[in-house]
Amino acid sequence: MTDHDLLARLLGPEGPEVSCDACFELLDQYVDLELAGDDPDARLPGMRAHLEGCPACREDHESLREIAAQG
Ligand SMILES: [Zn+2]
């Protein structure tokens, strides 16, 4: 396998794509897993990539995490 093949496998092109709607639906779960010390990226693939690329969802994620951490 060449480096290019490896990179293509890591990046997709058929990687899981999470829409804002799906991201919003899964955000509770994602934060729960995070706070539980679990591996949310393994359970909910695509979420991290979406959060990194989507400022709106990233903001939601941060406020949800703050709320969850306080409660
Ligand atoms: Zn989004």
Side-chain angles (χ1 to χ4, degrees):
M1 198 193 309
T2 66
D3 285 346
H4 180 263
D5 286 339
L6 184 64
L7 199 63
R9 279 175 75 136
L10 290 173
L11 295 178
E14 310 255 329
E17 271 200 32
V18 176
S19 64
C20 284
D21 280 349
C23 183
F24 189 74
E25 296 260 313
L26 294 170
L27 211 51
D28 272 339
Q29 236 177 300
Y30 188 87
V31 169
D32 277 351
L33 289 166
E34 263 186 333
L35 295 177
D38 215 316
D39 188 353
D41 300 312
R43 306 280 197 104
L44 304 169
M47 283 288 284
R48 177 170 294 277
H50 184 90
L51 291 172
E52 278 173 4
C54 181
C57 288
R58 192 164 57 220
E59 229 173 84
D60 275 354
H61 173 231
E62 274 165 21
S63 53
L64 205 62
R65 204 161 56 170
E66 272 173 34
I67 291 164
Q70 280 163 17

